[in-house]
Amino acid sequence: MSQIEAKANPRRRSRGPRKPPRSNIPGANPWLEVPYITRKVPTYDILGEESLARIEATADRILAEIGMEFREDPETVELFRRAGGEVRQIGPEASNIRFEPGLIRQLCTTAPGRFRQAARNPARSVEIGGDAMVFAPAYGSPFILDSEGNRRYATLDDFQSLVKLGQSSPWLHHSGGTICEPTDIPVNKRHLDMVYSHIRFSDKPFLGSITAPERAADSIEMCRILFGADFVDRNCVIMGNFNTTSPLVLDGVTTRGIRTYAAAGQGSIHLPFLLGGAVTPVTMAGSCAQSLAESMVGVALTQLVRPGAPALLAAFLSSLDLRSGSPTFGTPEPALGSLVMGQLARRMNLPLRCSGNFSTSKLPDAQAMSQSMMSMMAAAQCGANYILHAAGFLDGLLSMSYEKFVMDCDLAGALHVYLRGLEVSDETLAFDALAEGGPGMHLFGTEHTLRHYETAYYDSALSDYTPWETWDDNGRNGAMARATARWQSTLEHYEPPHLDEAIDEALLAFIAQKKEAMPDAWH
């Protein structure tokens, strides 16, 4: 029996499909649980027309006068040549392509402004684009940080535990992708275990592998086993999260992966990972122009492969500590940049991925949450549609934290309330609540209060609202201790969603066949 079978078999009892479960722990606010957020709060437009036009013109100028470099993928180079790009060979397997102003933007117009990613539980399917907002866990960390600041390499057990925490949270709508790197599994095989873990331990949508084109193909093939080939051909069921090699480079592994997802009609996210002063200008306007240019090229490639394939414009804007060269996250300048990227995405009618619960703190402490709040509020205000890194991000993305994961989920729950906006009606104006007792009377027992007491306010699962004396008697637990207790209890009470046994067996057979066909590779 394989390692992943051993982990899966104890829970392979069959149960029928069910609706998304209601959480049975305090702070769940089940009346707020939705498959994705429909924002009722307006986006914040920070720049006027002239400034936005200048950023767009600079992005076009970057592509026309500097161009993008493409490495080790002649098919992608040929696609852009046929579309009108000016190709110049700069090495045996490298080309620089320049694009007339407006060409790349025009190629992006066939990408949908909004699309649905189907989940295996239809009640969990999400909308991406427009006024829809989707939260997903952090992505890509090789380490796990415990509550005392000790750091260790992540394992498959960690990966599956984090998938379970995401499945259990009513505030995360998406299972994410590489929540952490399971370093105990060979590099060339771990994508199979990760995709299977998302399928087996969650019924929310998820991301697939992007580290090699064949791994992208395996991810899509596993979805064909799960959903059926015809359904996958007609629907987006999986997405890939692709990074450019900034500044202004796309390598062949990335472009071939993008083409693999697009050819199958699946979604892709096109993200320049920009560190100010390192791979992008230190000034945020320049970073926004570069981010727009690089991301548009990725989106355009999907449309050359399959017009109408879902694609997201994306931005990961970050500052640096210019004294040491260390990346900084959760700072105000990138938050402002996220507001700008929201405006640019809306002008292109493309869904946007940006921002998240970012922090460079090494503990889920005050620094972590203040930085996260800065970054996450920017995502909420800019109108981002898909927010990766919404839970667990610590140590500048090098580490995942169980405590930070549940703290971030609690913040995400509060944002569910914030983004619902404020209703003004006879019921919410509550004249009768004041009139019932008159001047000087307490409102706690009025009929209006009793009608709304369960839904009036967000009930945090982690915050302590008790008097000092009660808090003292209960052991003076701080947020860290409460978060530890929360994630441990959640995993203890976790129940896996139903998965058809025949599908499960087919997936495991596919994984076994793939693993047996290649030797382990650890680099």
Side-chain angles (χ1 to χ4, degrees):
M1 181 179 291
S2 70
Q3 182 177 2
I4 198 160
E5 286 177 302
K7 291 178 179 293
N9 278 340
R11 293 187 171 92
R12 288 180 63 187
R13 61 186 183 275
S14 177
R15 291 198 300 267
R18 59 183 182 179
K19 295 180 180 179
R22 301 294 192 188
S23 177
N24 60 359
I25 46 185
N29 303 107
W31 55 279
L32 279 173
E33 293 183 32
V34 290
Y36 57 90
I37 295 171
T38 301
R39 61 178 302 123
K40 300 294 178 60
V41 174
T43 56
Y44 185 74
D45 293 342
I46 187 174
L47 295 183
E49 172 63 32
E50 180 181 356
S51 294
L52 292 170
R54 291 188 68 181
I55 291 173
E56 290 171 336
T58 301
D60 283 347
R61 186 181 178 195
I62 289 168
L63 295 176
E65 298 182 25
I66 303 174
M68 290 280 292
E69 183 176 325
F70 294 83
R71 299 174 181 170
E72 300 179 340
D73 186 4
E75 290 184 40
T76 289
V77 172
E78 184 59 25
L79 284 172
F80 278 121
R81 186 199 305 273
R82 291 177 183 175
E86 179 187 332
V87 178
R88 182 167 59 94
Q89 197 77 20
I90 58 175
E93 296 185 85
S95 299
N96 177 276
I97 307 181
R98 299 182 182 184
F99 305 94
E100 288 295 320
L103 173 59
I104 289 296
R105 190 180 307 275
Q106 178 60 35
L107 292 174
C108 293
T109 57
T110 55
R114 180 171 177 143
F115 65 93
R116 169 165 291 216
Q117 184 183 356
R120 69 178 182 87
N121 179 350
R124 301 280 201 185
S125 296
V126 298
E127 295 278 334
I128 298 176
D131 60 2
M133 182 175 286
V134 173
F135 294 157
Y139 182 110
S141 302
F143 299 111
I144 299 292
L145 263 173
D146 68 21
S147 59
E148 296 179 353
N150 300 310
R151 195 168 79 167
R152 59 173 174 80
Y153 281 103
T155 65
L156 181 60
D157 186 65
D158 290 309
F159 187 95
Q160 294 180 345
S161 293
L162 291 164
V163 170
K164 293 172 184 177
L165 287 178
Q167 167 70 7
S168 302
S169 173
W171 314 132
L172 297 180
H173 317 105
H174 199 279
S175 195
T178 305
I179 303 181
C180 63
E181 281 283 348
T183 59
D184 54 336
I185 307 296
V187 171
N188 60 333
K189 299 179 180 181
R190 66 181 60 157
H191 68 286
L192 299 164
D193 296 329
M194 289 190 285
V195 171
Y196 177 78
S197 296
H198 281 299
I199 292 171
R200 184 66 193 87
F201 299 112
S202 176
D203 60 2
K204 297 179 181 181
F206 56 91
L207 301 176
S209 178
I210 51 85
T211 52
E214 60 273 17
R215 297 171 199 167
D218 287 344
S219 302
I220 296 167
E221 190 59 34
M222 291 175 74
C223 286
R224 292 189 177 108
I225 295 171
L226 177 63
F227 289 96
D230 290 342
F231 187 88
V232 170
D233 189 55
R234 298 191 307 270
N235 297 274
C236 175
V237 300
I238 192 169
M239 298 195 297
N241 182 67
F242 294 95
N243 293 117
T244 52
T245 305
S246 301
L248 304 171
V249 175
L250 276 166
D251 64 75
V253 170
T254 300
T255 53
R256 292 197 301 274
I258 290 171
R259 291 194 287 108
T260 299
Y261 276 89
Q266 301 308 300
S268 53
I269 301 164
H270 302 276
L271 185 77
F273 194 123
L274 301 184
L275 301 176
V279 298
T280 190
V282 295
T283 46
M284 201 48 60
S287 287
C288 288
Q290 180 184 335
S291 183
L292 178 62
E294 292 186 14
S295 187
M296 283 196 303
V297 170
V299 173
L301 177 56
T302 68
Q303 303 309 296
L304 290 176
V305 173
R306 182 165 170 168
L312 279 75
L313 201 71
F316 193 114
L317 305 171
S318 176
S319 51
L320 281 183
D321 180 346
L322 295 177
R323 289 180 294 271
S324 68
S326 297
T328 55
F329 295 96
T331 52
E333 295 84 3
L336 291 170
S338 291
L339 296 177
V340 174
M341 293 306 300
Q343 290 184 266
L344 295 170
R346 287 190 292 279
R347 286 161 72 89
M348 292 192 67
N349 190 34
L350 285 174
L352 175 68
R353 181 219 142 175
C354 79
S355 235
N357 269 313
F358 296 166
S359 177
T360 48
S361 179
K362 311 309 179 288
L363 287 172
D365 54 11
Q367 176 186 335
M369 296 315 295
S370 65
Q371 290 175 335
S372 291
M373 190 68 174
M374 173 66 72
S375 182
M376 197 65 170
M377 282 302 294
Q381 294 297 103
C382 82
N385 304 110
Y386 182 79
I387 303 176
L388 202 60
H389 306 311
F393 187 119
L394 267 187
D395 189 23
L397 190 54
L398 288 174
S399 301
M400 281 289 290
S401 160
Y402 288 88
E403 283 79 15
K404 179 70 159 39
F405 194 102
V406 296
M407 288 179 177
D408 288 342
C409 285
D410 196 60
L411 173 56
L415 285 172
H416 276 67
V417 177
Y418 180 81
L419 290 163
R420 290 174 76 240
L422 187 67
E423 177 190 353
V424 177
S425 65
D426 288 345
E427 181 66 14
T428 63
L429 288 168
F431 178 86
D432 60 309
L434 288 170
E436 183 175 329
M441 297 299 293
H442 202 290
L443 274 66
F444 198 72
T446 65
E447 290 188 15
H448 183 273
T449 299
L450 294 174
R451 286 199 300 273
H452 293 277
Y453 81 97
E454 289 185 309
T455 60
Y457 305 125
Y458 175 62
D459 184 15
S460 168
L462 290 180
S463 296
D464 187 298
Y465 300 131
T466 61
W468 188 93
E469 292 79 6
T470 305
W471 172 76
D472 184 45
D473 290 342
N474 289 338
R476 298 189 171 202
N477 285 330
M480 184 86 77
R482 295 193 296 271
T484 299
R486 176 63 183 268
W487 72 256
Q488 290 175 344
S489 174
T490 300
L491 290 181
E492 181 182 351
H493 294 93
Y494 165 84
E495 292 186 9
H498 168 75
L499 179 62
D500 181 85
E501 189 169 351
I503 291 175
D504 195 14
E505 290 174 353
L507 287 166
L508 291 171
F510 176 84
I511 291 169
Q513 183 269 323
K514 284 288 180 178
K515 287 188 174 184
E516 289 168 4
M518 53 186 165
D520 291 351
W522 291 96
H523 300 286

